[in-house]
Amino acid sequence: MKLSFHFLIFILIVFLNTSCDPINESNDTNNTNNTNNTNNTNNTNNTNNTNNTNNTNNTNNKDPGTCSVEDLPYQNECNPGYKCTITDLSNTVECINSGQISDYDICVPVDGPDHQDGCMIGSFCYKHDSDPSEINGICREFCFELYTMCGNEKMCSIELDLGNNNKAYLCKDVDECNYYYNEEWGYTASEGCATDEYCYMFQGTDDMVSCIDANKAGDKLRGESCIDSTDCAPGHTCFGPYGQETCHYICNPDPPAEQEYSECGVEDCIILSEEDPFGLCM
């Protein structure tokens, strides 16, 4: 009986030792996995840190990018922080730093791609050539198409010839000039404008008026087809259904007492707007 009891104790001890070994191996495996997981996490963080550094460098990139004439009113082609504008007297279009001067505030035109006129993105410091002694200009917005509305009391009416059939357009305030033209009654086509300009009314801009350079004035008369009012002679405006516009003579619905005949002949002087002091022969 004593031998049997000792034998059973021996068997039990061997069994317990054998059962503990897998547990230790399992713990060793888990420790290894935990170590690897920690390394993987660190590697991922290091990679992300590198990417973040690269992104920061791209954001602060000093390369302004390049742009085309077509981008002047859109401002989509330059890199962030830069604007597309005309940079020198040779009418070069480039990306430069954007300024802080608001639209229609005074600015000083500059020459050279390393300088800038101070105007905000989408604007250009424009100085009219009629006064060479004036050094200051005005920040004016680029616009899409001549003789269209830019906004409240503004019209796209300045055309810049950049060469190679490239044109740029700028907005300006609506002028206060007299677009009714009849020399017999003492009116002139440049009344309210400079001596080298004519006053035109544009039906497509809520009857806005603008002083236009005389060399851009047309010579088409009543009934001739037109695209815009400057196709017509002074004292006329372009009016009619889209694609069928013709030049119409501007008339006075309340003519002077000494006027002995109708300006419109067999036509009538039709008032198109209560705010319009004149009408059209139709």
Side-chain angles (χ1 to χ4, degrees):
M1 291 295 293
K2 290 183 179 181
L3 290 175
S4 298
F5 176 75
H6 289 125
F7 180 76
L8 289 175
I9 293 298
F10 175 76
I11 294 298
L12 180 61
I13 292 172
V14 171
F15 175 76
L16 291 175
N17 288 336
T18 305
S19 300
C20 289
D21 287 339
I23 294 176
N24 291 334
E25 289 177 2
S26 177
N27 288 338
D28 291 340
T29 302
N30 289 337
N31 290 336
T32 303
N33 289 338
N34 290 338
T35 302
N36 290 338
N37 289 338
T38 301
N39 290 337
N40 289 338
T41 302
N42 290 337
N43 289 339
T44 301
N45 288 338
N46 290 338
T47 302
N48 290 337
N49 289 339
T50 302
N51 289 337
N52 290 337
T53 302
N54 290 338
N55 290 337
T56 302
N57 289 339
N58 289 336
T59 302
N60 297 327
N61 197 334
K62 294 183 179 181
D63 178 15
T66 59
C67 66
S68 60
V69 175
E70 291 76 13
D71 188 51
L72 291 173
Y74 294 98
Q75 298 294 322
N76 290 328
E77 296 178 2
C78 296
N79 287 333
Y82 299 91
K83 69 174 184 177
C84 184
T85 191
I86 305 165
T87 60
D88 57 28
L89 298 179
S90 62
N91 295 323
T92 302
V93 174
E94 294 183 273
C95 297
I96 62 173
N97 290 319
S98 179
Q100 300 296 324
I101 302 177
S102 300
D103 293 337
Y104 307 105
D105 283 348
I106 294 176
C107 56
V108 178
V110 294
D111 181 19
D114 295 329
H115 304 84
Q116 86 118 309
D117 54 17
C119 298
M120 298 177 66
I121 186 171
S123 297
F124 170 67
C125 189
Y126 173 77
K127 182 178 75 70
H128 198 282
D129 295 333
S130 61
D131 187 3
S133 64
E134 178 61 54
I135 63 172
N136 292 326
I138 295 178
C139 289
R140 297 191 180 278
E141 302 166 88
F142 287 109
C143 48
F144 305 93
E145 184 178 357
L146 273 179
Y147 314 126
T148 56
M149 296 179 67
C150 290
N152 187 31
E153 299 300 316
K154 301 288 190 300
M155 187 168 70
C156 187
S157 54
I158 298 176
E159 180 181 69
L160 304 178
D161 187 354
L162 305 184
N164 297 320
N165 296 320
N166 291 319
K167 306 283 186 181
Y169 309 109
L170 300 172
C171 301
K172 64 176 280 191
D173 296 327
V174 175
D175 295 307
E176 295 183 4
C177 58
N178 193 330
Y179 54 90
Y180 173 67
Y181 181 57
N182 192 323
E183 290 179 323
E184 291 188 51
W185 313 120
Y187 296 103
T188 65
S190 60
E191 188 171 319
C193 299
T195 55
D196 59 346
E197 296 177 330
Y198 288 123
C199 184
Y200 274 91
M201 184 263 284
F202 297 87
Q203 292 285 340
T205 60
D206 292 339
D207 301 338
M208 288 184 176
V209 297
S210 181
C211 295
I212 304 299
D213 289 343
N215 59 6
K216 296 181 180 179
D219 56 4
K220 292 185 177 182
L221 302 176
R222 185 188 311 177
E224 296 187 70
S225 62
C226 56
I227 296 177
D228 64 63
S229 293
T230 58
D231 292 334
C232 307
H236 295 72
T237 191
C238 189
F239 176 76
Y242 181 77
Q244 303 177 39
E245 298 93 337
T246 58
C247 295
H248 289 261
Y249 190 70
I250 299 171
C251 54
N252 189 347
D254 188 18
E258 63 269 25
Q259 183 173 330
E260 298 178 356
Y261 59 90
S262 170
E263 296 174 292
C264 297
V266 297
E267 296 180 322
D268 295 321
C269 187
I270 305 298
I271 300 176
L272 301 181
S273 170
E274 294 181 358
E275 299 179 356
D276 187 355
F278 302 112
L280 300 181
C281 293
M282 301 175 67

